[in-house]
Amino acid sequence: MPKPLNIGLVGCGFMGRTHSNGYKRVNDFFDVEYRPVLKAACGRNEPAARAFADRWGYQSIETDWRKLVARDDIDAVDICTPNNTHAAIASAAAEAGKMILCEKPLSMDLVEGQKMVDAIEKAGVANTVWYNYRRAPAVTLAKQFIDEGRLGRIFHYRANFLQDWTISAELPQGGAGLWRLDAAAAGSGVTGDLLAHCIDTALWLNGPITTVSAMTETFIKERKHTQTGQVEPVKIDDACAFLCRFGNGSLGLFESTRYARGHKALYTFEINGENASIKWDLHDLHRLQFFDHGDDPITRGWRSIHVSDGDHPYMKHWWVPGLQIGYEHTFVHQVADFLADLAEGKPTSPTFREALATQAVCDAVLDSADVGRWQTVVPV
Ligand code: SOE
């Protein structure tokens, strides 16, 4: 019988739903030594927290995260709140000896993130940050191909994350659902929210980024603030593009915007190596495009690998070969890996420290856009 692991989830929004689904599904599909128990859900709005708890099956609610963190019956604290609250909750949870699973990005900036890493490493608690796209089977397969040396020396890394949901000037900033437009709650705009995903994947697949040169733009300069009712300056980056150099000598090109009409969550990356290239697209997330220069020249071409066979990463745990899975499964996989690592006493990647490296790149990108010059990424 798997041992119970009592979860206290802070934040009852979109991410709270994705993580809860992960906890609920994991033991149905993965043989792991722990079983997440949905002990408590925490949200400041009591009726909303109650409705969330009832829907997802949490046994109790809290309206103050400090009470949740102090509870003896909570083993792991899951942070799904706006970015400006991550540090306080994580540090208190670490001090209370709780395991911590924190939504991305880790922190508002590198300095704050460093303090969080110090706190959790001092406490010695298990920790991970939810950069979920690593665990799309096709992305994990890309990692496998690179580690096997199939691409050879890597020359180029290209990534985009394009959305279009903030184009209307009538959209307010701040408050539930729209805190991502409020720099005081989010820290940054697309850099911390979307490029952070691209950077995390890139660091994992292609190693450290050393220097960056970026530009950002805020297209809508003022928006009404939901909480104050006043029209206030918009301080987030609506769009960001940057060039970079990786430690392995390859060149990177990254772009993110919430103003690409027609694109809802188009995360794509392409990697060009000496022997082969790979491409991935979140809108077609179960496929990995692969071009191998070593193939017979007459039939050589881009292969579209349907990553749904039992030999593919994570897939033997799901249905039968050929039947694909989706976005929500990336979170189930992260829970499964966290529980398996816990049983073996191993860290679960990305740890807080690994997520700090993403934060260091985000900071260098924003600094570069600010000063208009190349910036060196602080090594973490
Ligand atoms: C923003 O719209 C968002 O929900 C991000 O916050 C998530 O991290 C990303 O996976 C999808 O888009």
Side-chain angles (χ1 to χ4, degrees), residues 22-141:
Y23 296 129
K24 289 182 78 162
R25 293 265 61 92
V26 68
N27 298 101
D28 295 334
F29 292 92
F30 290 79
D31 292 324
V32 278
E33 284 182 31
Y34 289 92
R35 179 175 52 87
V37 176
L38 304 184
K39 259 297 161 199
C42 177
R44 278 180 303 183
N45 176 322
E46 187 169 349
R50 171 67 58 209
F52 181 91
D54 289 348
R55 175 180 283 262
W56 288 96
Y58 283 85
Q59 294 173 7
S60 62
I61 64 160
E62 295 290 352
T63 53
D64 180 348
W65 61 260
R66 288 172 192 82
K67 288 201 179 140
L68 177 117
V69 164
R71 275 173 58 164
D72 289 339
D73 62 348
I74 299 293
D75 300 315
V77 173
D78 187 345
I79 305 170
C80 307
T81 46
N83 305 341
N84 62 338
T85 61
H86 290 186
I89 303 172
S91 303
E95 210 166 300
K98 311 293 187 196
M99 303 170 203
I100 309 168
L101 303 97
C102 184
E103 191 34 54
K104 47 61 58 176
L106 176 67
S107 54
M108 296 286 275
D109 56 33
L110 181 61
V111 171
E112 185 186 74
Q114 183 65 62
K115 288 185 192 147
M116 294 165 75
V117 170
D118 292 345
I120 58 107
E121 288 185 352
K122 183 167 167 230
V125 293
N127 61 91
T128 192
V129 178
W130 296 87
Y131 280 112
N132 59 301
Y133 296 118
R134 286 181 177 209
R135 289 175 166 88
V139 177
T140 312
L141 187 64

Side-chain angles (χ1 to χ4, degrees), residues 14-15 103-104 133 161 163 165 180 193-194 197 327:
F14 164 38
M15 282 302 135
E103 191 34 54
K104 47 61 58 176
Y133 296 118
F161 205 138
Q163 298 187 330
W165 61 284
R180 286 180 176 79
D193 190 36
L194 303 178
H197 279 299
Y327 169 74

Side-chain angles (χ1 to χ4, degrees), residues 173-232:
Q173 58 173 314
L178 294 170
W179 61 265
R180 286 180 176 79
L181 302 192
D182 178 6
S188 67
V190 294
T191 301
D193 190 36
L194 303 178
L195 279 177
H197 279 299
C198 306
I199 295 165
D200 172 72
T201 318
L203 299 182
W204 189 51
L205 296 180
N206 199 35
I209 291 174
T210 52
T211 54
V212 300
S213 176
M215 63 177 173
T216 56
E217 184 54 74
T218 304
F219 295 115
I220 309 282
K221 308 284 185 209
E222 293 184 324
R223 291 182 187 273
K224 194 167 162 185
H225 199 290
T226 312
Q227 279 155 346
T228 64
Q230 304 296 314
V231 174
E232 295 182 13

